[in-house]
Amino acid sequence: MYPNNAHIPHNLTELQNDINKALAFDFSSVTTQKARRVLERESLTVEDLAALLSPAAENYLEPMAQRAMDLTKRFFGRNINLFTPLYLSNYCLNLCAYCGFSFSNKIRRGRLNFLEIEKELLAVKETGLKDILLLTGDNRAKSGPAYIAEAVKLAAGLFPSVGLEVYPLKTEEYAQVKKAGADYVCVYQETYDPDLYGRVHLKGPKRDYLFRLESQSRALSAGIRGASLGALLGLGDFRRDVLAMGVHGLYLSRKFPASDLAYSVPRLRPVIGTRETFNEISEKNLFQIILALRIFSPSFGLTLSTREQPSFRDRLMGIGVNRLSAGVSTSVGGYAGEDHGDNQFLKSDSRDVGEVCRAVITRGFQPVFTDYARL
Amino acid sequence: MYSPDDDPFYLKGYKFTGRLILGSGKYPLPQIKEVVEAGEAEIVTLALRRVNAGGQENILDFLPQGKTVLPNTSGARTAQEALTLAHLARELGCGDFIKIEVITCAKYLLPDNEQTLQAIKLLVKDGFIALPYMTPDLVMAQKMEEAGAAAVMPLGSPIGSNKGLMTKELIRLMINELTVPVIVDAGIGRPSQACQAMEMGVAAVMVNTAVATADDPPAMARAFAQAVRAGREAYLAGLGPVGEPQASSPLTGFLFTSEPGSSKTD
């Protein structure tokens, strides 16, 4: 599959080629012997990641977990970084078959004005959290780059770390939000399979697969220090999507060696108004995915959201995962108690910041509110 | 009888006797004090990016009294950013000691020696006591010394790798040639490796991951303290040569016997 084991994609064409190879990988070809051997290696190739994601590797979840835990401790210590998302607007022009904010969904839409944003920010600040992730739907008329930049500026005045999870921006727009204080961006490819991507993104600007794929590169080129990548697990074949995500991660770490990179592994959650049924991803599958990614990319951050149950989130602390959201609201205006719009997805972990902190401490870890200096 | 108190080392005139330097950011905050005491550390490093001034779980509130805090500039990618963080340290009341970490390789956490050298120049100009974390390179270390570094802190192997002194030979040259103290900074995974570094003649060793990832961090800190002391004593006592002496036929015998034509001229 990969003639040169050490092959790393250097440009967009090579990235696409390698993603296509990942999407064509036959996971049933991996023998248990191969999966076991991978665990003896010090650093892994893409093919090794494939082996760890294979059904054969399910026999080695225990040694994989031990190694993942060891690597997480070495890179991140006994720390769990905490953050929370803040929804600014849920107006969206995209028609996505899986999303609660989808254009055709008859949900309550809302957009916070700057006064309301400030109220929300202050309400989050009250909880003690210092890392905030701002989100909007994809609608340049309702939440354009200038609106986002202004929101970032407000947030940066109150929080040492501000992330953005918005539609893909152009390089100069990333530079604009960077200037306003943005520290990192999260852009999830949802699925790396271009055909499936076209089938689930039915209408709207999000249909541009390649523009989305290069988002992190544009953001990092514009001087933003960190970037997250992820696939929405359950849309397609999770093994293929995660393998392609590993290829994408490798590409970014080679192109931007100084940047802070992180993976997210959201599973599809029930949302208002979707009729589609997608692939079931069990907790065991998700566990294997997290272990494989940690072993493949030891220096990457790995975030687990409130889409997952408290018990699962707690167990994964330090075994791959080093960052958790806490005290989350996924509705627009949900923190200051003035609800302006419906939720994006139903969360499974509704614990407040104090409760998450106690859970972190109980498991022998240190809750970390700030691990970043804006420079 | 050896006493560390009679065997100090100096950083820009400041006297230190604790030769094990410990980190503070990789284990639960309430454990810092116990670990530092068990390791008899005099200097404790602090990642400025972790300071949550006025907030919850602020690492500054957990550093034991009476120790020298050595703030590091982790997160900096350029000399200028290191300088910004150094000034932040001063504002926080952390003093003038700064461990310069300018890292542009997130994967292996390797320092950027070139930017680090620039950072030393900027920091020294602003009155800081600069201790650069560096990839061991004698020529670069000499430039750092020339630029006013109070010590140099070469890595033994990549941070968190626990591989020990993979760069031993390069560090040996630095010990031989530099006037400022050499402190091994990263990669020390076991007390025996710390001991080995001290036997070579480094002034101190910095250990973080190896202690933090132990099942019992305070016990591991204590083990490191003993190893560091043993290595230091061995260095002072003078280590014998390694390997068996080679017996060969005398090479100097001709000087003492009169063989025909050996020492006479006609």
Side-chain angles (χ1 to χ4, degrees):
Chain A
M1 168 188 156
Y2 295 96
N4 173 3
N5 262 354
H7 179 70
I8 295 169
H10 284 82
N11 56 44
L12 185 58
T13 311
E14 286 181 21
L15 174 62
Q16 282 180 272
N17 284 341
D18 284 7
I19 284 174
N20 287 335
K21 279 184 212 158
L23 294 171
F25 188 79
D26 176 12
F27 287 90
S28 67
S29 71
V30 178
T31 61
T32 51
Q33 195 189 18
K34 160 79 183 167
R36 197 183 60 233
R37 280 213 186 133
V38 166
L39 283 171
E40 291 158 11
R41 295 194 183 178
E42 187 166 342
S43 53
L44 272 61
T45 64
V46 171
E47 200 157 356
D48 295 335
L49 172 61
L52 294 186
L53 289 167
S54 69
E58 286 177 12
N59 298 311
Y60 300 102
L61 289 182
E62 184 55 39
M64 281 172 71
Q66 296 291 345
R67 176 149 172 194
M69 186 172 75
D70 176 50
L71 289 168
T72 310
K73 264 203 280 186
R74 285 195 207 180
F75 272 85
F76 301 96
R78 299 186 67 86
N79 294 322
I80 297 294
N81 293 357
L82 301 178
F83 77 104
T84 210
L86 171 55
Y87 285 75
L88 302 175
S89 168
N90 64 4
Y91 286 96
C92 195
L93 294 173
N94 294 318
L95 193 62
C96 307
Y98 52 84
C99 179
F101 285 174
S102 189
F103 176 67
S104 64
N105 268 359
K106 296 285 172 265
I107 60 163
R108 281 186 304 136
R109 302 280 170 177
R111 182 192 85 147
L112 302 179
N113 62 34
F114 296 123
L115 209 66
E116 289 161 344
I117 292 176
E118 209 157 15
K119 264 193 200 167
E120 285 284 284
L121 290 169
L122 288 170
V124 174
K125 193 175 186 248
E126 260 321 276
T127 67
L129 291 172
K130 295 293 169 87
D131 179 359
I132 195 160
L133 177 65
L134 305 179
L135 297 93
T136 71
D138 188 349
N139 184 328
R140 282 175 172 261
K142 288 287 184 186
S143 52
Y147 169 85
I148 293 168
E150 189 56 33
V152 167
K153 206 170 152 191
L154 290 172
L158 296 167
F159 293 84
S161 175
V162 178
L164 270 184
E165 189 174 329
V166 302
Y167 50 87
L169 300 177
K170 297 171 193 157
T171 307
E172 60 271 24
E173 292 165 345
Y174 279 124
Q176 187 185 355
V177 295
K178 156 75 187 168
K179 207 174 155 212
D183 300 301
Y184 64 97
V185 297
C186 306
V187 185
Y188 304 144
Q189 195 62 27
E190 320 299 12
T191 175
Y192 282 89
D193 177 349
D195 296 332
L196 177 63
Y197 188 94
R199 290 204 301 279
V200 293
H201 299 109
L202 301 159
K203 271 182 188 166
K206 196 170 182 175
R207 282 182 63 78
D208 193 340
Y209 171 96
L210 279 184
F211 188 65
R212 194 171 187 85
L213 187 63
E214 276 289 81
S215 301
Q216 289 89 350
S217 290
R218 289 194 302 278
L220 296 169
S221 304
I224 290 176
R225 297 177 80 94
S228 273
L229 55 161
L232 189 51
L233 305 170
L235 275 185
D237 178 309
F238 77 85
R239 293 191 167 89
R240 288 175 178 165
D241 267 333
V242 175
L243 185 59
M245 183 163 91
V247 168
H248 193 190
L250 195 60
Y251 165 75
L252 291 170
S253 68
R254 170 56 72 97
K255 202 168 164 189
F256 303 97
S259 59
D260 299 325
L261 296 168
Y263 293 124
S264 275
V265 284
R267 280 196 296 176
L268 262 179
R269 293 284 309 151
V271 295
I272 305 169
T274 52
R275 299 166 302 276
E276 307 292 328
T277 50
F278 295 101
N279 302 312
E280 188 70 32
I281 309 287
S282 67
E283 283 194 349
K284 186 178 168 189
N285 294 148
L286 183 55
F287 187 60
Q288 184 180 3
I289 290 166
I290 289 168
L291 302 180
L293 286 173
R294 169 57 65 222
I295 297 169
F296 179 64
S297 304
S299 65
F300 277 44
L302 219 154
T303 304
L304 204 56
S305 80
T306 52
R307 289 165 186 263
E308 304 305 332
Q309 297 289 339
S311 58
F312 187 67
R313 296 207 323 149
D314 290 357
R315 274 200 198 96
L316 266 287
M317 271 181 219
I319 312 180
V321 172
N322 69 298
R323 187 165 174 263
L324 295 174
S325 49
V328 171
S329 161
T330 63
S331 69
V332 177
Y335 291 104
E338 297 170 32
D339 210 342
H340 294 264
D342 281 332
N343 290 300
Q344 186 186 27
F345 62 88
L346 301 173
K347 58 181 196 261
S348 302
D349 185 347
S350 51
R351 290 176 295 180
D352 67 20
V353 176
E355 287 168 323
V356 172
C357 274
R358 279 191 289 281
V360 171
I361 290 168
T362 303
R363 296 196 78 86
F365 289 87
Q366 175 61 43
V368 172
F369 288 78
T370 171
D371 189 21
Y372 181 78
R374 188 174 297 129
L375 289 164
Chain B
M1 183 68 185
Y2 175 78
S3 163
D5 293 339
D6 304 331
D7 176 34
F9 68 102
Y10 293 88
L11 299 171
K12 287 282 173 206
Y14 291 88
K15 182 178 164 184
F16 293 95
T17 52
R19 291 175 183 270
L20 174 62
I21 301 174
L22 288 170
S24 59
K26 279 194 161 172
Y27 31 79
L29 299 179
Q31 213 169 38
I32 294 175
K33 191 165 179 278
E34 201 187 340
V35 167
V36 170
E37 277 167 9
E40 295 164 47
E42 207 177 354
I43 301 174
V44 184
T45 65
L46 160 75
L48 289 162
R49 59 198 270 179
R50 281 285 304 280
V51 174
N52 187 14
Q56 297 173 46
E57 305 287 326
N58 181 13
I59 194 165
L60 275 182
D61 301 336
F62 291 83
L63 296 179
Q65 300 292 311
K67 304 291 175 190
T68 296
V69 174
L70 177 57
N72 71 47
T73 63
S74 78
R77 294 172 188 173
T78 64
Q80 199 59 48
E81 290 176 356
L83 183 68
T84 305
L85 281 165
H87 280 285
L88 173 69
R90 219 177 236 170
E91 280 169 35
L92 290 166
C94 293
D96 289 340
F97 282 91
I98 296 287
K99 182 180 164 209
I100 301 176
E101 289 186 15
V102 181
I103 290 173
T104 49
C105 168
K107 188 171 179 183
Y108 303 109
L109 300 174
L110 295 176
D112 181 330
N113 278 354
E114 189 193 353
Q115 285 296 314
T116 302
L117 174 61
Q118 296 307 318
I120 295 167
K121 291 176 183 169
L122 294 174
L123 265 78
V124 168
K125 202 169 140 228
D126 283 1
F128 289 101
I129 298 165
L131 296 106
Y133 165 56
M134 64 165 321
T135 300
D137 169 349
L138 175 60
V139 176
M140 183 50 91
Q142 284 168 329
K143 289 180 187 175
M144 290 178 172
E145 183 178 76
E146 176 78 24
V152 290
M153 303 183 73
L155 57 90
S157 50
I159 292 180
S161 69
N162 292 343
K163 288 186 178 179
L165 295 173
M166 301 300 281
T167 58
K168 187 177 173 186
E169 186 59 15
L170 298 170
I171 290 175
R172 191 180 69 78
L173 304 185
M174 291 168 64
I175 297 166
N176 283 353
E177 302 303 325
L178 298 175
T179 309
V180 295
V182 175
I183 299 171
V184 173
D185 187 348
I188 301 283
R190 296 161 181 273
S192 55
Q193 295 163 349
C195 186
Q196 188 193 12
M198 295 307 298
E199 285 173 358
M200 285 169 65
V202 303
V205 295
M206 152 91 210
V207 179
N208 191 12
T209 310
V211 169
T213 59
D215 291 337
D216 185 344
M220 188 57 84
R222 203 172 304 119
F224 267 102
Q226 292 171 45
V228 164
R229 184 169 167 158
R232 180 65 188 170
E233 280 201 63
Y235 170 73
L236 293 173
L239 292 160
V242 177
E244 286 184 37
Q246 295 291 309
S248 68
S249 36
L251 304 174
T252 53
F254 74 94
L255 295 171
F256 310 107
T257 57
S258 49
E259 288 170 27
S262 66
S263 58
K264 285 179 190 163
T265 50
D266 288 329

